Amino acid sequence: MRTVSLASTEGKWVMASSILASSMAFIDSTALNVVLPSLQESLNARGTDLFWILNSYLLMLASLILLGGALGDKFGRKKIFIIGILIFISGSATCGFAPTVKLLILFRALQGIGGALMIPGSLSLISSTFSSKERGKAIGTWSAATTMVTMGGPILGGALADAGLWRYIFFINIPLGIVSVLILWLKVHETKDEESAKGIDFPGAITTVSGLALLTFGFLRIPEIGIARPQVYLSLIAGTIFIVLFIFLEKSRKNAMMPLSIFNNINFSGANLLTFFLYAGLSGGILFITLNLIQIQGYSQLQAGLTLLPFTILMVLLARFAGKLSDKYGPRWFMISGPAIAGIGLLLLAFIKQTNGPSDYWISFFPGILLFGLGMSITVTPLTSTVMGSAASHFSGIASGVNNAVSRISGVFANAILGAFAILLFTTFMERAIEKFPINKEAKDAILAETINLGNAEFPQGISVKYKQQIINFYNQGFISAYKIILLICSGMAFTSSLCAFLMISNKLIKQTKSHKMSIDKSGQ
């Protein structure tokens, strides 16, 4: 397969287009967390609506991302990448103009379809363009650049939200996408898997899309209606059946959308298991930290965005360096120590109680965010290099699609399960807090009904104002109590990902042969 140098003109164009396109998706995800309070007020959204705004995108992305990677490998990575970008910016434009919560949720799903075609294309284009010797450095450059751009998302998002301009978070994607498409169209050569069987694995596509969609939908309904409803558990059961059927079908098909032999490489399997736990902790942690800062601690949305600046700086400074060291010494110890350090950071953040706002930032949130950022900075590039280096070049789209699907599904898992659990914890706290209040059942029910809005819970009308301050204080205490347990769980998931690396990752990245069989170097395990 034809490869180019990172320093070559085409190599630079490949990096530029991949960074710009990836930045669109990542800006959306990071900035949206910060603007949620403004969005909630502007569109009269409930707490559960916020989870759907975040997760309707993830629903489509997680469902289709494996198909997106396979399409790129078979029909051309550049071609599918461009189609994904065009759909994504179309979804972004409609999101920016959405007049209601329901339409915003619908248009976020359109963004997800575009992202499913676009996101695997970014890394698979890099992996198939550069040689194995330069792949780690290229991915490190991609990680540092996209992080620098996207972690600026919360700062930009906060500034726009404070100015009442949260819709521009979506409009920013349009010029970035157009420039990326022009670079790809004019400056980048097409690459695809010349060895694969022709045609699409339609049974595989149908079963995996159905399975992932049903599982994701089931998880997303848990915060709103609970797990004991038929809509939830039937979706989860049906989704599991479709995934099992997908695995069964892929064993015997010559043009399998996801050749199962790719998982024979223990590094690839271990890296994806690590990804699931680490990104679940990351997604849940960032969401609840942001809600705590804005809704409980009194930070403006811009100030909340600025709290993540240490995270950004560390990623920019260390991501490419970590990639070079990983190429030289192997990824194992980076992937063990990084998640452990991130877990310690989340552990520190879990024990933060009510503070005096931004003036206490340096002695409250800063130490935990610093360690959290340090851990992620030395993990991301070695992790991505391990995933892409453990699969043959002609499987780069599939490898990228699998890993991105895992990270997005883990985000859905975190937002849905942890969101539902946080509401349960919050409600339980409030039930105990108001148990002895001399008010009727209807008034107590009105107080408890607000817990679905988490930190945005408000004092209900029709209740004696003499209880107002006390109930507001209970709301704050209840959220902080729930926040602590959620962050402890997120920390535990980060430590679990470190354990996965210790048990499964070696410094010997094993390539898949042209016959699609994987040989495992036991001496390197």
Side-chain angles (χ1 to χ4, degrees):
M1 180 176 289
R2 175 181 176 271
T3 60
V4 301
S5 167
L6 187 58
S8 68
T9 301
E10 184 176 350
K12 291 176 181 178
W13 285 123
V14 168
M15 293 303 301
S17 60
S18 298
I19 288 166
L20 283 173
S22 300
S23 296
M24 292 192 301
F26 297 149
I27 283 174
D28 251 26
S29 61
T30 56
L32 202 57
N33 280 330
V34 177
V35 306
L36 284 177
S38 284
L39 189 153
Q40 185 174 16
E41 183 177 348
S42 175
L43 298 180
N44 296 317
R46 299 174 301 162
T48 50
D49 291 330
L50 298 184
F51 289 113
W52 271 106
I53 291 167
L54 289 171
N55 291 328
S56 60
Y57 170 79
L58 293 176
L59 172 63
M60 300 310 299
L61 184 65
S63 301
L64 297 171
I65 202 165
L66 283 177
L67 179 60
L71 288 173
D73 286 344
K74 289 182 180 293
F75 296 117
R77 298 179 179 99
K78 185 179 85 167
K79 182 188 300 180
I80 300 301
F81 196 10
I82 289 174
I83 293 171
I85 294 170
L86 293 174
I87 295 173
F88 189 88
I89 60 177
S90 299
S92 297
T94 51
C95 282
F97 288 112
T100 65
V101 171
K102 289 183 178 179
L103 283 175
L104 179 58
I105 291 170
L106 178 65
F107 295 143
R108 284 282 288 162
L110 180 61
Q111 276 189 308
I113 295 172
L117 301 178
M118 179 179 75
I119 291 173
S122 178
L123 281 175
S124 65
L125 196 62
I126 291 174
S127 184
S128 61
T129 298
F130 300 109
S131 67
S132 58
K133 292 182 180 179
E134 289 197 303
R135 189 175 295 134
K137 185 178 179 182
I139 291 173
T141 302
W142 174 86
S143 296
T146 52
T147 300
M148 181 171 62
V149 174
T150 59
M151 292 308 290
I155 300 171
L156 180 62
L160 291 172
D162 286 342
L165 301 172
W166 60 265
R167 293 178 182 274
Y168 283 83
I169 290 299
F170 299 107
F171 294 141
I172 290 168
N173 294 330
I174 298 171
L176 292 176
I178 291 171
V179 172
S180 184
V181 166
L182 289 174
I183 292 173
L184 286 163
W185 186 266
L186 299 173
K187 299 293 184 180
V188 176
H189 286 90
E190 182 63 278
T191 66
K192 60 183 177 180
D193 177 12
E194 303 290 353
E195 300 175 14
S196 68
K198 300 299 180 183
I200 288 294
D201 173 17
F202 285 107
I206 292 169
T207 51
T208 187
V209 168
S210 301
L212 291 174
L214 286 165
L215 285 173
T216 306
F217 178 79
F219 281 131
L220 293 182
R221 292 295 285 157
I222 291 173
E224 191 165 5
I225 64 175
I227 198 169
R229 298 290 185 90
Q231 188 179 122
V232 172
Y233 63 74
L234 289 178
S235 292
L236 295 176
I237 292 170
T240 302
I241 291 171
F242 272 113
I243 293 298
V244 171
L245 181 60
F246 167 70
I247 293 171
F248 177 78
L249 289 172
E250 296 302 277
K251 283 184 177 181
S252 58
R253 297 188 66 82
K254 292 181 179 180
N255 65 330
M257 189 176 75
M258 188 182 73
L260 298 183
S261 58
I262 197 172
F263 289 99
N264 290 344
N265 188 316
I266 195 170
N267 275 344
F268 184 80
S269 298
N272 280 287
L273 194 59
L274 181 155
T275 297
F276 180 85
F277 288 110
L278 182 61
Y279 279 84
L282 173 68
S283 298
I286 291 293
L287 175 60
F288 280 90
I289 289 167
T290 304
L291 292 176
N292 188 4
L293 287 167
I294 297 170
Q295 296 180 337
I296 304 298
Q297 305 296 344
Y299 287 62
S300 71
Q301 289 164 111
L302 174 57
Q303 288 169 333
L306 287 169
T307 61
L308 295 175
L309 197 56
F311 198 114
T312 307
I313 293 170
L314 285 169
M315 285 293 290
V316 171
L317 293 177
L318 297 181
R320 184 170 183 177
F321 183 61
K324 291 172 67 175
L325 291 178
S326 175
D327 283 347
K328 185 175 182 179
Y329 298 108
R332 176 176 164 79
W333 288 106
F334 294 96
M335 293 169 68
I336 294 172
S337 60
I341 294 171
I344 294 171
L346 288 167
L347 194 63
L348 292 179
L349 290 164
F351 289 94
I352 297 172
K353 297 183 179 180
Q354 186 76 56
T355 71
N356 294 317
S359 62
D360 283 351
Y361 169 71
W362 299 104
I363 59 172
S364 56
F365 286 91
F366 175 71
I369 288 174
L370 189 69
L371 287 175
F372 189 23
L374 176 61
M376 292 300 298
S377 298
I378 63 177
T379 304
V380 171
T381 302
L383 171 59
T384 306
S385 297
T386 299
V387 169
M388 303 308 294
S390 298
S393 295
H394 57 277
F395 282 154
S396 59
I398 293 172
S400 177
V402 169
N403 192 245
N404 275 286
V406 169
S407 66
R408 267 60 188 190
I409 291 168
S410 72
V412 170
F413 170 83
N415 290 342
I417 301 298
L418 296 182
F421 191 44
I423 292 171
L424 176 62
L425 292 169
F426 194 9
T427 304
T428 301
F429 180 95
M430 290 302 299
E431 285 174 345
R432 294 172 180 171
I434 66 172
E435 185 177 4
K436 296 183 179 179
F437 269 29
I439 54 178
N440 59 34
K441 184 179 183 300
E442 288 73 17
K444 288 184 178 180
D445 288 342
I447 293 170
L448 295 176
E450 283 291 315
T451 59
I452 198 170
N453 294 317
L454 294 172
N456 203 44
E458 296 180 353
F459 180 74
Q461 295 181 350
I463 300 176
S464 175
V465 293
K466 70 179 181 180
Y467 298 114
K468 182 174 182 179
Q469 190 56 52
Q470 193 173 2
I471 289 172
I472 290 173
N473 289 340
F474 282 148
Y475 279 148
N476 290 342
Q477 294 168 20
F479 180 88
I480 289 174
S481 175
Y483 162 87
K484 176 182 177 180
I485 295 173
I486 297 301
L487 266 288
L488 287 174
I489 293 172
C490 292
S491 175
M493 287 191 285
F495 288 128
T496 301
S497 68
S498 178
L499 179 62
C500 290
F502 179 78
L503 296 175
M504 301 180 73
I505 300 298
S506 78
N507 281 331
K508 183 71 174 178
L509 296 184
I510 306 161
K511 291 291 184 178
Q512 197 170 27
T513 65
K514 290 183 179 181
S515 63
H516 300 173
K517 299 295 183 181
M518 303 297 293
S519 61
I520 301 176
D521 182 353
K522 294 182 179 179
S523 64
Q525 302 307 318

